[in-house]
Amino acid sequence: MPGSLEPLDLGVQIPYHFRCPVSLELMRDPVTVCTGQTYDRTSIESWVATGNTTCPVTRAPLTDFTLIPNHTLRRLIQDWCVANRSFGVERIPTPKQPAEPGLVRSLLNQTSSGTNPNSSRLSALRRLRGLARDSEKNRAVISSQNAPEILISLLFHSSGSTSAELHHEALGLLVMFPLTEPECVSISSEPDRITYLANLLFHSSIEVRVNSAALIEMAVAGTRSTEIRAQISGVEEIFEGVIDMLKNPISYPRALKIGIKSLFALCLTKQTRHKAVAAGAASALIDRLADFDKCDAERALATIELLCRVPAGCTAFAAHALTVPLLVQTILKISDRATEYAAGALLALCTAAEDSRKEAVAAGVLTQLLLLVQSDCTDRAKRKAQMLLKLLRDSWPDESVGNSNDFVCSEVVPF
């Protein structure tokens, strides 16, 4: 029932047959079960999900759990809503029908068949993608029909009869599903496949570029093999393509989110962090830091801290005029995690260069650190703050030293 409708106050009664027998509310998506009874889809799905195997009204066994949309009843309910609009009743929207396993299998077969024309295969892929966009439940149904394996095979199939458009559509659908480790390994362990994805990072279509970055991130995060991770992040073009998405302002919000997820995953491999620095990660991260939402800002700061652990990274971040002031401002502003990463990055920068220590003090880091060690932040963040306070002791203004002894530990645990 729409929240704005209060039947007792408005003087309008919901017809008995428009109410779901389980929830007693106006049905928004009426479906009929094998016993002939009709329920609201959400209610009967919840009933079955909790382990019930009988019809709520008749108590007869549900021998078939197929839910058949009752379009006639749904249209009658919509007409009734319109007729009672003056009482504040809102018309229920026409529900999008869920993906049925049989239909999904048929579409996947149509997609994977090399004898079908490309136009037919594209049509099937686009219909599957539309279903996947509609709901998480649809994605689960599609994935359960072995869709990721079929799509991986199609994406990297090099037959001349398969069009690039078909590959791109398969890629767009594939990144909508979680991948198992074997599926990630099948993508990442073959150099030709990684090279192909790296090339797509420079495609003229921003959607193709972002989807390629998304699949690279999934492959890196989905495998536990350090060798395979290093093999992927060792491809210089990958860093260039991912960082280019962060460098260039584009009217495609998903690019920023996927870009930082991919860069963070790639930078977890220590041996190749210098490649990220060489590709311009420092300026890209600092210039776009204010554009990230909370979760992505945490990833960005974690990436900055990781890159500051290599000499080239420290040099690149220290050379950017906004690095130290932004990191100081970030402390205690976004989240506990963000504070911890910002403090860690500052600690690395200030340890490496005296100029960074002077910048940090000028930016007001002393006050931030004193507040941090008294806050409810993580122990790791406090330890980093204490180490920074000790490191910066010689750079403090004279009048500040006397007031800070209570906050500096003589011994701290390194991070």
Side-chain angles (χ1 to χ4, degrees), residues 291-354:
D291 299 330
F292 294 114
D293 61 22
K294 176 184 172 182
C295 185
D296 292 332
E298 290 176 349
R299 285 196 186 94
L301 289 162
T303 307
I304 292 171
E305 184 180 10
L306 288 173
L307 294 178
C308 282
R309 293 180 183 178
V310 298
C314 262
T315 301
F317 280 106
H320 196 298
L322 294 178
T323 297
V324 172
L326 276 178
L327 291 176
V328 171
Q329 292 173 19
T330 298
I331 292 175
L332 298 174
K333 289 294 192 299
I334 300 175
S335 68
D336 288 352
R337 284 186 178 182
T339 293
E340 179 184 324
Y341 301 141
L346 281 169
L347 180 58
L349 290 168
C350 291
T351 300
E354 183 180 356

Side-chain angles (χ1 to χ4, degrees), residues 87-152:
F87 293 99
V89 180
E90 296 179 3
R91 182 183 184 275
I92 62 169
T94 300
K96 293 181 178 179
Q97 295 307 310
E100 295 292 342
L103 171 63
V104 170
R105 282 193 296 271
S106 175
L107 291 172
L108 286 172
N109 288 336
Q110 185 177 337
T111 294
S112 59
S113 175
T115 59
N116 285 340
N118 281 334
S119 58
S120 174
R121 301 171 78 185
L122 266 174
S123 177
L125 271 176
R126 286 168 178 162
R127 190 169 178 192
L128 283 168
R129 200 171 174 188
L131 289 171
R133 284 196 187 104
D134 283 345
S135 69
E136 184 177 346
K137 182 180 177 182
N138 281 3
R139 290 191 291 276
V141 170
I142 298 171
S143 183
S144 70
Q145 301 299 315
N146 205 29
E149 184 176 335
I150 293 171
L151 293 169
I152 289 171

Side-chain angles (χ1 to χ4, degrees), residues 233 236 238-240 243 247 263 266-267 269-285 303-319 349:
S233 57
E236 293 185 13
I238 286 182
F239 281 109
E240 293 173 5
I243 291 171
K247 278 183 177 179
L263 182 58
L266 292 164
C267 288
T269 303
K270 297 178 182 179
Q271 307 95 297
T272 55
R273 288 175 191 165
H274 65 282
K275 293 182 180 293
V277 176
S283 60
L285 287 167
T303 307
I304 292 171
E305 184 180 10
L306 288 173
L307 294 178
C308 282
R309 293 180 183 178
V310 298
C314 262
T315 301
F317 280 106
L349 290 168

